[in-house]
Amino acid sequence: MIPLGEAQARVRSVVAPLPVVSVPIGAALGLVIAEQVTAAEAIPPFANTAMDGFAVRADDLAAANDESPVELPVVATVAAGAVAPRPLAEGEAMRIMTGAPIPDGADAVIMVELTDIAEPGPSGRDGERVRCRAAVPRGNHIRHAGDDLAAGTVVFEPGTTIHPAHIGVLASVGRVEVEVHRRPRVGVFSTGDELVVGANPLEPGQIRDSNRPQLLSLVAEAGAEPVDLGVLRDDHDEIDAALRAAVDSCDALVTSGGVSMGDFDFVKKVLSALGDLTWMQVAIKPAKPLAFGVMFDTPIFGLPGNPVSSAVSFELFARPALRMMMGRSDIERVHEMAIADEALGRSVDGKTHFQRVVATQESDGWHVRSAGGQGSHQLAALAAANGLAVLPDGHGAAAGDRVRVMLLS
Ligand code: AMP
Ligand code: MG
């Protein structure tokens, strides 16, 4: 058996960020920017009002209060997207809507809530007068040009991960596309003669293929593009042909099953014949066997078949590698120290154990308790868990002990 860190280092030594491409900003969520993005124009592009109300000159309202409001004629209405027909003169007000440009001559906005309409005009708002019940400081509710970003500002440096707000900023600086490291296309196969797809009835000896849907969604959750490549029989030639075809169209491949010591574990055999394969017995439980290889620059993760093992192996090997291919620096899950609220027992076997736990954040920090059965076939406990407690070789944790937990969500 080789230590986990050594196996991870072997994988990480052969993956690198994918080439840079230009993608529409709407398709860039989770990708990593590979250029310097600057704001060509000021944002906002012009001074505008933050409130619905009236554009005024602050001096005109200096004496206004509840008892003696100041009354001004309303000489125009400025909607968002429009501009005032003429400058505001002394002793005038213009009705103005949030986002509309501040008229020349105005230096403040009084919000509509501090005003009353004194005299509605006969036709619509003609001849309207507004009664202002408060004084306002100069600049009141005015958002200045360049308040958010001055023209020429560097907005994003290469290496920035794109979250929804980044997409908003890219749109606000007028970007339609952005240069990023390409999102990896990751093909996922299941292997096994016993596997049934979908809701078809189970014949004796058959089970349902749960790994493929689970791994496809783990790929998507990692930020990569999942490609469903179906189920392969335990047949040397079928697996050989499928892997050869898939490396052409995918940036990485994930398979499950067929990498252990069984007579029909062909994935391992095919991979060793095809490429530069390392078959590892990693000192972890679950997920001891891992076949990792590179074929024509395409990393291939031959994960074990047991459903929990394939998921844990994906977490420890494939997910960090896929994120490296995306150029992300946050390749690891978040780890926290937590108090074990109950014993998390294990046996001494030379391996690091990953136990499915429910982790909760309380006033004194993180706490964990077991999420259920810890067999590598017991997938329900993985669904109940939101973390994996990392238990070094030994007897596990007693209630009250501190343990490290890898948070899965
Ligand atoms: P293997 O690694 O192929 O020896 O498979 C180990 C165990 O995982 C066996 O009990 C398989 O039936 C089970 N298994 C393999 N592939 C899948 C799959 N896609 N979905 C659910 N269980 C699987
Ligand atoms: Mg199998």
Side-chain angles (χ1 to χ4, degrees):
M1 288 193 300
I2 65 168
L4 173 61
E6 204 178 308
Q8 286 176 319
R10 156 84 186 120
V11 170
R12 292 174 195 188
S13 69
V14 297
V15 292
L18 292 181
V20 172
V21 293
S22 192
V23 300
I25 60 168
L29 186 63
L31 297 178
V32 174
I33 295 178
E35 61 170 322
Q36 200 176 55
V37 176
T38 53
E41 314 148 329
I43 301 168
F46 50 86
N48 66 94
T49 173
M51 288 281 176
D52 295 319
F54 293 87
V56 296
R57 297 157 66 109
D59 284 351
D60 290 344
L61 300 191
N65 58 43
D66 258 336
E67 279 77 56
S68 58
V70 168
E71 215 176 283
L72 301 172
V74 181
V75 299
T77 295
V78 195
V83 289
R86 64 166 176 82
L88 185 92
E90 209 179 311
E92 292 181 339
M94 286 187 191
R95 188 182 285 274
I96 192 165
M97 312 302 156
T98 304
I102 301 295
D104 287 343
D107 62 10
V109 169
I110 179 167
M111 63 177 176
V112 73
E113 290 87 340
L114 295 177
T115 66
D116 303 296
I117 291 306
E119 199 182 298
S123 68
R125 285 169 173 167
D126 285 357
E128 197 173 70
R129 294 178 70 79
V130 63
R131 202 177 287 143
C132 303
R133 290 186 269 105
V136 292
R138 206 165 278 142
N140 198 46
H141 299 318
I142 293 179
R143 306 189 284 210
H144 295 283
D147 244 0
D148 187 9
L149 293 171
T153 310
V154 174
V155 188
F156 300 131
E157 295 285 0
T160 306
T161 298
I162 300 178
H163 296 294
H166 296 79
I167 292 177
V169 170
L170 287 165
S172 78
V173 302
R175 295 296 296 262
V176 175
E177 297 206 330
V178 61
E179 289 192 6
V180 292
H181 292 284
R182 194 154 57 72
R183 194 186 297 280
R185 279 171 55 80
V186 183
V188 176
F189 290 107
S190 283
T191 70
D193 285 343
E194 73 277 35
L195 300 179
V196 169
V197 173
N200 293 332
L202 295 176
E203 302 293 337
Q206 294 187 325
I207 59 163
R208 301 195 189 281
D209 172 20
S210 59
N211 287 353
R212 193 166 41 98
Q214 177 170 275
L215 289 166
L216 286 164
S217 54
L218 281 166
V219 167
E221 198 220 24
E225 180 189 340
V227 180
D228 186 352
L229 296 176
V231 176
L232 302 176
R233 299 295 127 199
D234 287 318
D235 177 279
H236 184 282
D237 294 348
E238 182 176 334
I239 294 171
D240 183 86
L243 290 179
R244 282 176 193 276
V247 288
D248 279 346
S249 60
C250 293
D251 300 302
L253 296 181
V254 174
T255 69
S256 69
V259 295
S260 301
M261 313 287 272
D263 290 351
F264 306 106
D265 286 339
F266 289 118
V267 174
K268 185 180 67 181
K269 293 171 189 152
V270 169
L271 279 177
S272 29
L274 276 180
D276 165 23
L277 176 100
T278 318
W279 184 64
M280 295 179 262
Q281 295 279 82
V282 189
I284 54 174
K285 184 179 177 179
K288 183 171 70 162
L290 171 71
F292 175 72
V294 179
M295 200 200 304
F296 305 124
D297 289 338
T298 305
I300 304 177
F301 297 87
L303 309 183
N306 277 301
V308 178
S309 306
S310 65
V312 169
S313 192
F314 182 93
E315 284 291 341
L316 297 175
F317 300 106
R319 186 178 185 278
L322 296 180
R323 289 168 80 91
M324 282 176 75
M325 293 170 81
M326 296 172 71
R328 293 189 63 146
S329 49
D330 55 339
I331 66 170
E332 300 275 7
R333 293 284 197 184
V334 172
H335 289 236
E336 298 282 356
M337 292 308 293
I339 297 165
D341 283 344
E342 61 186 13
L344 300 174
R346 54 157 293 174
S347 53
V348 178
D349 59 6
K351 300 178 199 164
T352 301
H353 287 202
F354 290 84
Q355 286 198 0
R356 281 145 272 169
V357 292
V358 177
T360 49
Q361 205 174 12
E362 291 165 28
S363 54
D364 62 344
W366 286 91
H367 287 246
V368 291
R369 59 188 167 76
S370 173
Q374 299 291 331
S376 61
H377 59 298
Q378 291 174 304
L379 194 51
L382 183 58
N386 63 342
L388 295 172
V390 186
L391 303 176
D393 196 20
H395 295 285
D401 281 356
R402 287 171 69 74
V403 296
R404 191 154 65 89
V405 60
M406 172 178 167
L407 296 175
L408 297 176
S409 58

